[in-house]
Amino acid sequence: MDNHEGIRRRSPVAGLPRGRLSFVEVLGQSVAAVAPSAVMVTVPVLILPAAGHATVPVFVATTFLFLAVGYCITQFSTRMVAVSGIYSYTVKGLGAGAGVFAGWSVMIGYAGAAMASTLGAGAYLAALLNRVGVRDSPLIVALLTLAVGAVALALMIRGIKLSARISLAIEMFAVVAAAVVLTVLAVRGGSTPTASSDVHDAPGFALLLATTAFVGFESATTVAREAKRPFETVTRAVRWSPLALGVLYVFAAVTQSGHQVAGGNAAPIVLSLPGSDGPGSTVLSVVLELGITASWFACVIGSCTALSRTLFAMGREGVLPPALGKTHKRFRTPSVALLASVPVITVVPVVYLLVVGSARSTLIGLLAVSAHGYICAYLLVCVGAPVFLRRIGEPGRLPTIIGIGTAAAFVGIIVWAALTIDAPVWIATITYAVLVAAGMAVFLIRRRIEPRLPEQVGVFDETTADQVLNDYDPWQVLR
């Protein structure tokens, strides 16, 4: 029997280690998945043509929006320990169908962010190599992107504790480097921005793209099983990350609003520095490119870590092949899920880049698809929060107001962006719709094969009989 007087003998997510990650390491997972330093010098540049003088207000509004999302997510993270975050939370709030929809949506978000990050790391590495005589080209960026994916895969299979520490150290260096360079730029002054972009004067699209600056902040919830005191550490990471990110992004938007951005196709996502012919600016450029390369790499690790845990959960439930729910015997990581997903995440942006020939266009396309996935998942978890609280007998007016209001705001962003006539928005919307429809089709097929499947979804970590009888400490997650 799996249960003993109501208590399981084995946790549904057994195989992943329990209680290894400190708060700093849990925070490192959220920070890595967001890659704030890369966002600071990339996303404002991409948003400027679409938002114009409204760029700073766009980031302020988005900060408040994601503080509300964090509030909704913490209604779950203080009450359950999940390995798939938003997916399991939505199941508990809205049921299996909506939960699986949210699960596929957030996986599209994680995958799109990881693809953009591998490309971003490859583009910045190419810019660095260009300084020592290696001519930049889409082929060079493609080869470097493949190398980034291979190194990230090796680190993630090796273990979450190692990858979390490396990611946090990388991101701390990258944020400092980006802040120093942007401060120098602000002191020097600059010209009116002239960014190359496919979308101009489209505030709806600007808001959609701005959400990609915050998405992934909730990924700490996907390592809750592996965290010490998960109810406390995961909740703190989710609650405060949007505020800290918002401060960084508003600062970056203000400093970049008067500076020129390079166009072109060779390394078009790299910020150019005024007076780049001078030696000081060359040093700043190298520091910036090193920092942002590191940040993109950290984002690959953070996004793929969250994605693999969601795939792991779906494998354990039977929504996806059970093999995805297996862990490495030595390192206790979801190695099958990583081996299945990371090669796809690495190859897709390479193919996209070679077809399009522009790193900027590829990056915008991947981020737009990723944003659709995240926004739809956040929308559902926000609606699910007050429903979940009512189900467990803890209804409240504030969670209902915040949850429904935030979901409505996301609906407005999606509709506003979709009404933009420019092709990239429509392409991203259609791509997301096709991918999520394919995922739901897989779920419906699996449900026909296994009628009890809806009862099995939404697994989370549970106390086992051995822990109660032997070494279970009920205060472990509270003190």
Side-chain angles (χ1 to χ4, degrees), residues 263-356:
N265 291 329
I269 62 172
V270 179
L271 184 71
S272 67
L273 303 176
S276 58
D277 294 333
S281 294
T282 299
V283 172
L284 288 177
S285 295
V286 171
V287 169
L288 182 66
E289 288 161 12
L290 281 171
I292 306 313
T293 300
S295 184
W296 282 127
F297 180 75
C299 188
V300 175
I301 293 178
S303 298
C304 289
T305 295
L307 173 63
S308 66
R309 268 63 181 173
T310 307
L311 288 170
F312 167 86
M314 286 189 172
R316 282 291 171 92
E317 297 164 348
V319 175
L320 292 176
L324 292 172
K326 295 182 178 180
T327 55
H328 195 283
K329 291 183 179 180
R330 178 182 175 187
F331 301 126
R332 301 181 70 185
T333 53
S335 53
V336 177
L338 287 167
L339 289 169
S341 59
V342 176
V344 175
I345 284 167
T346 305
V347 170
V348 168
V350 168
V351 174
Y352 193 167
L353 173 64
L354 294 178
V355 171
V356 175

Coordinates of all heavy atoms in Angstrom, one line a residue, residues 263-356:
G263 N 22.2 49.3 -34.5 CA 21.4 48.3 -35.3 C 22.3 47.3 -36.0 O 23.4 46.9 -35.5
G264 N 21.9 46.9 -37.1 CA 22.8 45.9 -37.8 C 22.4 44.5 -37.5 O 21.6 44.3 -36.6
N265 N 22.9 43.5 -38.1 CA 22.6 42.1 -37.9 C 23.7 41.3 -37.3 O 23.4 40.2 -36.9 CB 22.1 41.5 -39.2 CG 20.8 42.0 -39.7 OD1 20.0 42.4 -39.0 ND2 20.7 42.1 -41.1
A266 N 24.9 41.8 -37.2 CA 26.0 41.0 -36.7 C 25.8 40.6 -35.3 O 25.7 39.5 -34.9 CB 27.3 41.7 -36.9
A267 N 25.8 41.6 -34.4 CA 25.5 41.4 -33.0 C 24.5 42.5 -32.5 O 24.8 43.3 -31.7 CB 26.8 41.5 -32.2
P268 N 23.3 42.5 -33.0 CA 22.4 43.6 -32.9 C 21.8 43.8 -31.5 O 21.1 44.7 -31.3 CB 21.4 43.4 -34.0 CG 21.3 41.9 -34.1 CD 22.7 41.4 -33.8
I269 N 22.0 42.8 -30.6 CA 21.4 43.0 -29.3 C 22.4 43.6 -28.3 O 22.2 43.6 -27.2 CB 20.8 41.7 -28.8 CG1 21.9 40.6 -28.6 CG2 19.7 41.2 -29.7 CD1 21.4 39.4 -28.0
V270 N 23.6 43.9 -28.8 CA 24.6 44.4 -27.9 C 24.5 46.0 -27.9 O 24.5 46.6 -28.9 CB 26.0 44.0 -28.4 CG1 27.1 44.6 -27.5 CG2 26.1 42.5 -28.5
L271 N 24.5 46.5 -26.7 CA 24.4 47.9 -26.5 C 25.7 48.6 -26.9 O 26.8 48.1 -26.5 CB 24.1 48.2 -25.0 CG 23.9 49.7 -24.6 CD1 22.6 50.1 -25.1 CD2 24.0 49.8 -23.1
S272 N 25.6 49.6 -27.7 CA 26.8 50.4 -28.0 C 27.0 51.5 -27.0 O 26.1 52.1 -26.5 CB 26.7 51.0 -29.4 OG 25.7 52.0 -29.5
L273 N 28.3 51.9 -26.8 CA 28.6 52.9 -25.8 C 29.0 54.2 -26.6 O 29.7 54.1 -27.5 CB 29.7 52.5 -24.9 CG 29.4 51.2 -24.1 CD1 30.6 50.8 -23.3 CD2 28.2 51.4 -23.2
P274 N 28.5 55.4 -26.1 CA 29.0 56.6 -26.8 C 30.5 56.8 -26.8 O 31.1 56.4 -25.8 CB 28.3 57.7 -25.9 CG 27.2 57.0 -25.2 CD 27.6 55.6 -25.0
G275 N 31.0 57.2 -27.9 CA 32.5 57.4 -27.9 C 33.2 56.1 -27.8 O 34.2 56.0 -27.1
S276 N 32.8 55.1 -28.5 CA 33.3 53.8 -28.3 C 34.7 53.6 -28.9 O 35.4 52.6 -28.8 CB 32.4 52.7 -29.0 OG 32.3 53.0 -30.4
D277 N 35.2 54.7 -29.5 CA 36.6 54.6 -30.0 C 37.6 54.8 -28.9 O 38.8 54.5 -29.1 CB 36.8 55.7 -31.1 CG 36.0 55.4 -32.4 OD1 35.6 54.2 -32.6 OD2 35.6 56.4 -33.1
G278 N 37.2 55.4 -27.8 CA 38.2 55.7 -26.7 C 38.5 54.4 -26.0 O 37.7 53.5 -25.9
P279 N 39.7 54.3 -25.3 CA 40.1 53.2 -24.6 C 39.2 52.9 -23.4 O 38.9 51.8 -23.0 CB 41.5 53.5 -24.2 CG 41.6 55.0 -24.2 CD 40.7 55.4 -25.3
G280 N 38.7 54.0 -22.7 CA 37.9 53.8 -21.6 C 36.6 53.1 -22.0 O 36.1 52.2 -21.3
S281 N 36.0 53.5 -23.1 CA 34.7 52.9 -23.6 C 35.0 51.5 -24.0 O 34.1 50.6 -23.8 CB 34.2 53.7 -24.7 OG 33.8 55.0 -24.3
T282 N 36.1 51.2 -24.5 CA 36.4 49.8 -24.9 C 36.4 48.9 -23.6 O 35.8 47.8 -23.6 CB 37.8 49.7 -25.6 OG1 37.8 50.4 -26.7 CG2 38.1 48.2 -25.9
V283 N 37.0 49.4 -22.6 CA 37.0 48.7 -21.3 C 35.6 48.5 -20.8 O 35.2 47.4 -20.4 CB 37.8 49.4 -20.2 CG1 37.7 48.7 -18.9 CG2 39.3 49.4 -20.6
L284 N 34.8 49.5 -20.9 CA 33.4 49.4 -20.4 C 32.6 48.4 -21.3 O 31.8 47.7 -20.8 CB 32.7 50.8 -20.5 CG 33.1 51.8 -19.5 CD1 32.4 53.2 -19.7 CD2 32.8 51.3 -18.0
S285 N 32.8 48.5 -22.6 CA 32.1 47.5 -23.5 C 32.5 46.1 -23.1 O 31.6 45.2 -23.0 CB 32.5 47.8 -24.9 OG 32.1 49.1 -25.3
V286 N 33.8 45.8 -22.8 CA 34.2 44.5 -22.5 C 33.6 44.0 -21.2 O 33.1 42.9 -21.0 CB 35.7 44.4 -22.5 CG1 36.2 43.0 -21.9 CG2 36.3 44.6 -23.8
V287 N 33.6 44.9 -20.2 CA 33.0 44.6 -18.9 C 31.5 44.3 -19.0 O 31.0 43.3 -18.5 CB 33.2 45.8 -17.9 CG1 32.4 45.5 -16.6 CG2 34.7 45.9 -17.5
L288 N 30.8 45.1 -19.8 CA 29.4 44.9 -20.0 C 29.1 43.6 -20.7 O 28.3 42.8 -20.3 CB 28.8 46.1 -20.9 CG 27.3 46.0 -21.1 CD1 26.6 46.2 -19.8 CD2 26.9 47.1 -22.1
E289 N 29.9 43.3 -21.8 CA 29.6 42.1 -22.6 C 30.0 40.9 -21.7 O 29.2 39.8 -21.8 CB 30.5 42.1 -23.8 CG 29.9 43.2 -24.9 CD 30.9 43.6 -25.9 OE1 32.0 42.9 -26.0 OE2 30.7 44.6 -26.6
L290 N 31.0 40.9 -20.9 CA 31.3 39.8 -20.0 C 30.2 39.5 -19.0 O 29.7 38.4 -18.8 CB 32.6 40.0 -19.3 CG 33.9 39.8 -20.0 CD1 35.1 40.3 -19.2 CD2 34.1 38.3 -20.4
G291 N 29.7 40.7 -18.4 CA 28.6 40.5 -17.5 C 27.3 40.0 -18.0 O 26.7 39.1 -17.5
I292 N 27.0 40.5 -19.2 CA 25.7 40.1 -19.8 C 25.8 38.7 -20.4 O 24.8 37.9 -20.3 CB 25.2 41.1 -20.9 CG1 25.2 42.5 -20.3 CG2 23.9 40.7 -21.4 CD1 24.5 42.6 -18.9
T293 N 26.9 38.3 -20.9 CA 27.1 36.9 -21.3 C 26.9 36.0 -20.1 O 26.2 34.9 -20.2 CB 28.6 36.7 -21.8 OG1 28.8 37.5 -23.0 CG2 28.8 35.2 -22.2
A294 N 27.5 36.3 -19.0 CA 27.3 35.5 -17.8 C 25.9 35.5 -17.3 O 25.3 34.4 -16.9 CB 28.2 36.1 -16.6
S295 N 25.2 36.6 -17.4 CA 23.8 36.7 -17.0 C 22.9 35.8 -17.9 O 22.0 35.1 -17.4 CB 23.3 38.1 -17.1 OG 22.0 38.2 -16.6
W296 N 23.1 35.9 -19.2 CA 22.3 35.0 -20.1 C 22.5 33.6 -19.8 O 21.6 32.7 -19.8 CB 22.7 35.3 -21.5 CG 22.1 36.5 -22.2 CD1 22.7 37.5 -22.8 CD2 20.7 36.9 -22.2 NE1 21.9 38.5 -23.3 CE2 20.6 38.1 -22.9 CE3 19.5 36.3 -21.8 CZ2 19.4 38.7 -23.2 CZ3 18.3 36.9 -22.0 CH2 18.2 38.1 -22.7
F297 N 23.8 33.2 -19.5 CA 24.1 31.8 -19.1 C 23.4 31.4 -17.9 O 22.8 30.3 -17.8 CB 25.6 31.6 -19.0 CG 26.0 30.2 -18.6 CD1 26.0 29.2 -19.6 CD2 26.4 29.9 -17.4 CE1 26.4 27.9 -19.3 CE2 26.8 28.6 -17.0 CZ 26.8 27.6 -18.0
A298 N 23.4 32.3 -16.9 CA 22.7 32.0 -15.6 C 21.2 31.8 -15.9 O 20.5 30.9 -15.3 CB 22.9 33.1 -14.6
C299 N 20.6 32.6 -16.8 CA 19.2 32.4 -17.1 C 18.9 31.1 -17.8 O 17.8 30.5 -17.6 CB 18.8 33.6 -18.0 SG 17.0 33.7 -18.3
V300 N 19.8 30.6 -18.6 CA 19.7 29.3 -19.2 C 19.5 28.3 -18.1 O 18.6 27.4 -18.1 CB 20.9 28.9 -20.1 CG1 20.7 27.5 -20.6 CG2 21.0 29.9 -21.3
I301 N 20.4 28.3 -17.1 CA 20.3 27.3 -16.0 C 19.0 27.5 -15.2 O 18.3 26.5 -14.9 CB 21.6 27.5 -15.1 CG1 22.8 27.1 -15.9 CG2 21.4 26.7 -13.8 CD1 24.1 27.3 -15.1
G302 N 18.7 28.7 -14.9 CA 17.5 29.0 -14.1 C 16.2 28.5 -14.8 O 15.4 27.9 -14.2
S303 N 16.1 28.9 -16.0 CA 14.9 28.5 -16.8 C 14.8 27.0 -17.0 O 13.7 26.5 -16.9 CB 14.8 29.3 -18.1 OG 14.8 30.7 -17.9
C304 N 15.9 26.4 -17.4 CA 15.9 25.0 -17.6 C 15.6 24.2 -16.4 O 15.0 23.1 -16.4 CB 17.2 24.5 -18.3 SG 17.3 25.1 -20.0
T305 N 16.1 24.7 -15.2 CA 15.9 24.0 -14.0 C 14.4 24.0 -13.7 O 13.8 23.0 -13.3 CB 16.6 24.8 -12.8 OG1 18.0 24.6 -13.0 CG2 16.3 24.2 -11.5
A306 N 13.7 25.1 -13.8 CA 12.3 25.2 -13.6 C 11.5 24.3 -14.6 O 10.6 23.6 -14.2 CB 11.8 26.7 -13.7
L307 N 11.9 24.4 -15.8 CA 11.2 23.6 -16.9 C 11.4 22.1 -16.6 O 10.4 21.4 -16.6 CB 11.9 23.9 -18.2 CG 11.4 23.0 -19.4 CD1 9.9 23.2 -19.6 CD2 12.2 23.4 -20.7
S308 N 12.6 21.7 -16.2 CA 12.8 20.2 -15.9 C 12.0 19.8 -14.7 O 11.5 18.6 -14.7 CB 14.3 20.0 -15.7 OG 14.7 20.6 -14.5
R309 N 11.8 20.6 -13.7 CA 11.0 20.2 -12.6 C 9.5 20.0 -12.9 O 8.8 19.2 -12.4 CB 11.1 21.2 -11.4 CG 12.2 20.9 -10.4 CD 13.6 20.9 -11.0 NE 14.6 20.6 -10.1 CZ 15.9 20.4 -10.4 NH1 16.3 20.5 -11.7 NH2 16.8 20.1 -9.5
T310 N 9.0 20.9 -13.8 CA 7.6 20.8 -14.3 C 7.5 19.5 -15.1 O 6.5 18.8 -15.0 CB 7.2 22.0 -15.1 OG1 7.5 23.2 -14.3 CG2 5.7 22.0 -15.4
L311 N 8.4 19.3 -16.0 CA 8.4 18.0 -16.8 C 8.4 16.8 -15.9 O 7.7 15.8 -16.1 CB 9.5 18.0 -17.8 CG 9.4 18.9 -19.0 CD1 10.8 19.0 -19.7 CD2 8.3 18.5 -19.9
F312 N 9.3 16.9 -14.9 CA 9.4 15.8 -13.9 C 8.1 15.5 -13.2 O 7.6 14.4 -13.1 CB 10.4 16.2 -12.8 CG 10.5 15.3 -11.6 CD1 11.2 14.2 -11.6 CD2 9.8 15.7 -10.5 CE1 11.2 13.4 -10.4 CE2 9.8 14.9 -9.3 CZ 10.5 13.7 -9.3
A313 N 7.4 16.6 -12.8 CA 6.1 16.4 -12.1 C 5.0 15.8 -13.1 O 4.3 14.8 -12.7 CB 5.5 17.7 -11.6
M314 N 5.0 16.2 -14.3 CA 4.1 15.7 -15.3 C 4.4 14.2 -15.6 O 3.5 13.4 -15.9 CB 4.1 16.5 -16.6 CG 3.4 17.9 -16.5 SD 3.2 18.7 -18.1 CE 2.1 20.1 -17.6
G315 N 5.7 13.9 -15.6 CA 6.1 12.5 -15.8 C 5.6 11.6 -14.6 O 5.1 10.5 -14.8
R316 N 5.7 12.1 -13.4 CA 5.3 11.4 -12.2 C 3.8 11.1 -12.2 O 3.3 10.1 -11.7 CB 5.7 12.1 -10.9 CG 7.2 11.9 -10.6 CD 7.4 10.5 -10.1 NE 8.8 10.2 -10.0 CZ 9.5 10.3 -8.8 NH1 8.9 10.8 -7.8 NH2 10.8 10.0 -8.8
E317 N 3.1 12.1 -12.8 CA 1.6 12.0 -12.8 C 1.0 11.2 -13.9 O -0.1 10.7 -13.8 CB 1.0 13.5 -12.9 CG 1.3 14.4 -11.8 CD 1.1 15.8 -12.1 OE1 0.9 16.1 -13.3 OE2 1.1 16.7 -11.2
G318 N 1.8 11.0 -15.0 CA 1.3 10.3 -16.1 C 0.8 11.2 -17.2 O 0.3 10.7 -18.2
V319 N 0.9 12.5 -17.0 CA 0.5 13.4 -18.1 C 1.4 13.3 -19.3 O 1.0 13.4 -20.4 CB 0.4 14.9 -17.6 CG1 0.1 15.9 -18.7 CG2 -0.6 15.0 -16.5
L320 N 2.7 13.1 -19.0 CA 3.7 12.9 -20.0 C 4.4 11.5 -19.7 O 4.1 10.9 -18.6 CB 4.8 14.0 -19.9 CG 4.3 15.4 -20.4 CD1 5.4 16.4 -20.2 CD2 3.8 15.3 -21.8
P321 N 5.2 11.0 -20.6 CA 5.8 9.7 -20.4 C 6.5 9.6 -19.0 O 7.2 10.5 -18.6 CB 6.8 9.6 -21.5 CG 6.2 10.4 -22.6 CD 5.5 11.5 -21.9
P322 N 6.2 8.5 -18.3 CA 6.8 8.3 -16.9 C 8.3 8.4 -16.8 O 8.8 8.7 -15.8 CB 6.3 6.9 -16.5 CG 5.1 6.7 -17.4 CD 5.4 7.3 -18.7
A323 N 9.0 8.2 -17.9 CA 10.5 8.3 -17.9 C 10.9 9.6 -17.5 O 12.0 9.8 -16.9 CB 11.0 7.9 -19.3
L324 N 10.1 10.7 -17.8 CA 10.5 12.0 -17.4 C 10.5 12.3 -15.9 O 11.1 13.2 -15.4 CB 9.5 13.0 -18.1 CG 9.6 13.2 -19.6 CD1 8.5 14.0 -20.2 CD2 11.0 13.7 -20.0
G325 N 9.8 11.4 -15.2 CA 9.8 11.5 -13.7 C 10.9 10.8 -13.0 O 10.9 10.7 -11.8
K326 N 11.9 10.3 -13.8 CA 13.1 9.6 -13.2 C 14.2 10.6 -12.8 O 14.3 11.6 -13.4 CB 13.6 8.5 -14.1 CG 12.6 7.4 -14.4 CD 13.3 6.4 -15.3 CE 12.3 5.2 -15.5 NZ 12.9 4.2 -16.4
T327 N 14.9 10.2 -11.8 CA 16.0 11.1 -11.4 C 17.3 10.3 -11.5 O 17.4 9.1 -11.5 CB 15.8 11.6 -9.9 OG1 15.7 10.4 -9.1 CG2 14.6 12.5 -9.8
H328 N 18.4 11.1 -11.5 CA 19.8 10.5 -11.6 C 20.1 9.8 -10.3 O 19.9 10.3 -9.2 CB 20.8 11.6 -11.9 CG 22.1 11.2 -12.3 ND1 23.0 10.6 -11.5 CD2 22.7 11.2 -13.6 CE1 24.1 10.3 -12.1 NE2 23.9 10.6 -13.4
K329 N 20.6 8.6 -10.4 CA 20.9 7.8 -9.2 C 21.9 8.4 -8.3 O 21.8 8.3 -7.1 CB 21.3 6.4 -9.6 CG 20.3 5.5 -10.3 CD 20.8 4.2 -10.6 CE 19.7 3.3 -11.3 NZ 20.2 1.9 -11.6
R330 N 22.9 9.1 -8.8 CA 23.9 9.7 -8.0 C 23.6 11.1 -7.6 O 23.7 11.5 -6.5 CB 25.3 9.6 -8.8 CG 26.4 10.3 -8.0 CD 27.7 10.3 -8.8 NE 28.8 11.0 -8.1 CZ 30.0 11.2 -8.6 NH1 30.2 10.8 -9.9 NH2 30.9 11.9 -8.0
F331 N 23.3 11.9 -8.6 CA 23.1 13.4 -8.4 C 21.7 13.8 -8.0 O 21.4 14.9 -7.5 CB 23.5 14.2 -9.6 CG 24.9 13.9 -10.1 CD1 25.2 13.5 -11.4 CD2 25.9 14.1 -9.2 CE1 26.5 13.4 -11.8 CE2 27.2 13.9 -9.6 CZ 27.5 13.5 -10.9
R332 N 20.7 12.8 -8.1 CA 19.3 13.1 -7.7 C 18.7 14.3 -8.4 O 18.0 15.1 -7.8 CB 19.2 13.1 -6.2 CG 19.7 11.9 -5.5 CD 19.6 12.0 -4.0 NE 18.2 11.9 -3.6 CZ 17.8 12.1 -2.3 NH1 18.7 12.4 -1.4 NH2 16.5 12.0 -2.1
T333 N 19.0 14.5 -9.7 CA 18.4 15.5 -10.5 C 17.5 14.9 -11.5 O 17.7 13.7 -11.9 CB 19.5 16.3 -11.2 OG1 20.4 15.4 -11.9 CG2 20.3 17.1 -10.2
P334 N 16.5 15.6 -12.0 CA 15.6 15.1 -13.1 C 16.4 15.0 -14.4 O 16.1 15.7 -15.4 CB 14.5 16.1 -13.1 CG 15.1 17.4 -12.7 CD 16.1 17.0 -11.7
S335 N 17.3 14.1 -14.5 CA 18.2 14.0 -15.6 C 17.5 13.7 -16.9 O 17.9 14.2 -18.0 CB 19.3 13.0 -15.3 OG 18.7 11.7 -15.0
V336 N 16.5 12.8 -16.9 CA 15.8 12.5 -18.1 C 15.1 13.7 -18.7 O 15.1 14.0 -19.9 CB 14.8 11.3 -17.9 CG1 14.0 11.0 -19.2 CG2 15.5 10.1 -17.4
A337 N 14.4 14.4 -17.8 CA 13.7 15.7 -18.3 C 14.7 16.7 -18.8 O 14.5 17.3 -19.8 CB 13.0 16.3 -17.1
L338 N 15.9 16.8 -18.2 CA 16.9 17.7 -18.7 C 17.5 17.2 -20.1 O 17.7 18.0 -21.0 CB 18.1 17.8 -17.7 CG 17.8 18.6 -16.4 CD1 18.9 18.3 -15.4 CD2 17.7 20.1 -16.7
L339 N 17.8 15.9 -20.2 CA 18.3 15.4 -21.5 C 17.3 15.5 -22.6 O 17.6 15.6 -23.8 CB 18.7 14.0 -21.3 CG 20.0 13.7 -20.4 CD1 20.2 12.3 -20.1 CD2 21.2 14.3 -21.1
A340 N 16.0 15.5 -22.2 CA 14.9 15.6 -23.3 C 14.7 17.0 -23.7 O 14.4 17.3 -24.8 CB 13.6 15.0 -22.7
S341 N 14.9 18.0 -22.8 CA 14.5 19.4 -23.0 C 15.6 20.3 -23.5 O 15.5 21.1 -24.4 CB 13.8 20.0 -21.8 OG 14.7 20.0 -20.7
V342 N 16.8 20.2 -22.9 CA 17.9 21.1 -23.2 C 18.4 21.0 -24.6 O 18.6 22.1 -25.2 CB 19.1 20.9 -22.2 CG1 20.3 21.8 -22.6 CG2 18.6 21.2 -20.8
P343 N 18.5 19.9 -25.2 CA 18.9 19.8 -26.7 C 17.9 20.6 -27.5 O 18.3 21.3 -28.5 CB 18.9 18.4 -27.0 CG 19.3 17.7 -25.7 CD 18.5 18.5 -24.7
V344 N 16.6 20.5 -27.3 CA 15.6 21.2 -28.0 C 15.7 22.7 -27.8 O 15.7 23.5 -28.8 CB 14.2 20.7 -27.6 CG1 13.1 21.5 -28.3 CG2 14.0 19.2 -27.9
I345 N 15.9 23.1 -26.6 CA 16.1 24.5 -26.2 C 17.3 25.1 -26.9 O 17.3 26.3 -27.2 CB 16.2 24.6 -24.7 CG1 14.8 24.5 -24.1 CG2 16.8 26.0 -24.3 CD1 14.8 24.3 -22.6
T346 N 18.3 24.3 -27.1 CA 19.5 24.8 -27.8 C 19.4 24.8 -29.3 O 19.9 25.8 -29.9 CB 20.7 23.9 -27.4 OG1 20.8 23.8 -26.0 CG2 22.0 24.4 -27.9
V347 N 18.8 23.8 -29.9 CA 18.7 23.7 -31.3 C 17.7 24.7 -32.0 O 18.0 25.3 -33.0 CB 18.4 22.3 -31.8 CG1 18.1 22.2 -33.3 CG2 19.6 21.4 -31.4
V348 N 16.6 24.9 -31.3 CA 15.5 25.7 -31.9 C 16.0 27.2 -32.2 O 15.8 27.7 -33.3 CB 14.2 25.7 -31.0 CG1 13.3 26.8 -31.5 CG2 13.6 24.4 -31.1
P349 N 16.6 27.9 -31.2 CA 17.1 29.2 -31.5 C 18.2 29.2 -32.6 O 18.3 30.2 -33.3 CB 17.6 29.7 -30.2 CG 17.9 28.5 -29.4 CD 16.9 27.5 -29.8
V350 N 19.0 28.2 -32.7 CA 20.0 28.1 -33.7 C 19.4 28.0 -35.1 O 19.7 28.8 -36.0 CB 20.9 26.9 -33.5 CG1 21.8 26.6 -34.7 CG2 21.8 27.1 -32.3
V351 N 18.4 27.2 -35.2 CA 17.7 27.1 -36.5 C 16.9 28.4 -36.9 O 17.0 28.9 -38.0 CB 16.6 25.9 -36.5 CG1 15.8 25.9 -37.8 CG2 17.4 24.6 -36.3
Y352 N 16.3 29.0 -35.9 CA 15.6 30.2 -36.0 C 16.6 31.3 -36.5 O 16.3 32.1 -37.5 CB 14.9 30.6 -34.7 CG 13.9 31.7 -34.7 CD1 13.1 32.0 -33.6 CD2 13.8 32.6 -35.8 CE1 12.2 33.0 -33.6 CE2 12.8 33.6 -35.8 CZ 12.0 33.8 -34.7 OH 11.1 34.8 -34.7
L353 N 17.7 31.4 -35.9 CA 18.7 32.4 -36.2 C 19.2 32.2 -37.6 O 19.4 33.2 -38.4 CB 19.9 32.3 -35.2 CG 21.1 33.2 -35.5 CD1 20.7 34.7 -35.5 CD2 22.2 32.9 -34.6
L354 N 19.5 31.0 -38.0 CA 20.1 30.7 -39.3 C 19.0 31.0 -40.4 O 19.4 31.4 -41.5 CB 20.5 29.3 -39.4 CG 21.7 28.9 -38.5 CD1 22.1 27.4 -38.7 CD2 23.0 29.8 -38.9
V355 N 17.8 30.8 -40.1 CA 16.7 31.1 -41.1 C 16.5 32.6 -41.2 O 16.4 33.2 -42.3 CB 15.4 30.4 -40.7 CG1 14.2 30.9 -41.6 CG2 15.5 28.9 -40.8
V356 N 16.4 33.3 -40.0 CA 16.1 34.8 -40.0 C 17.3 35.6 -40.3 O 17.3 36.6 -41.0 CB 15.5 35.2 -38.7 CG1 15.3 36.7 -38.6 CG2 14.2 34.4 -38.4

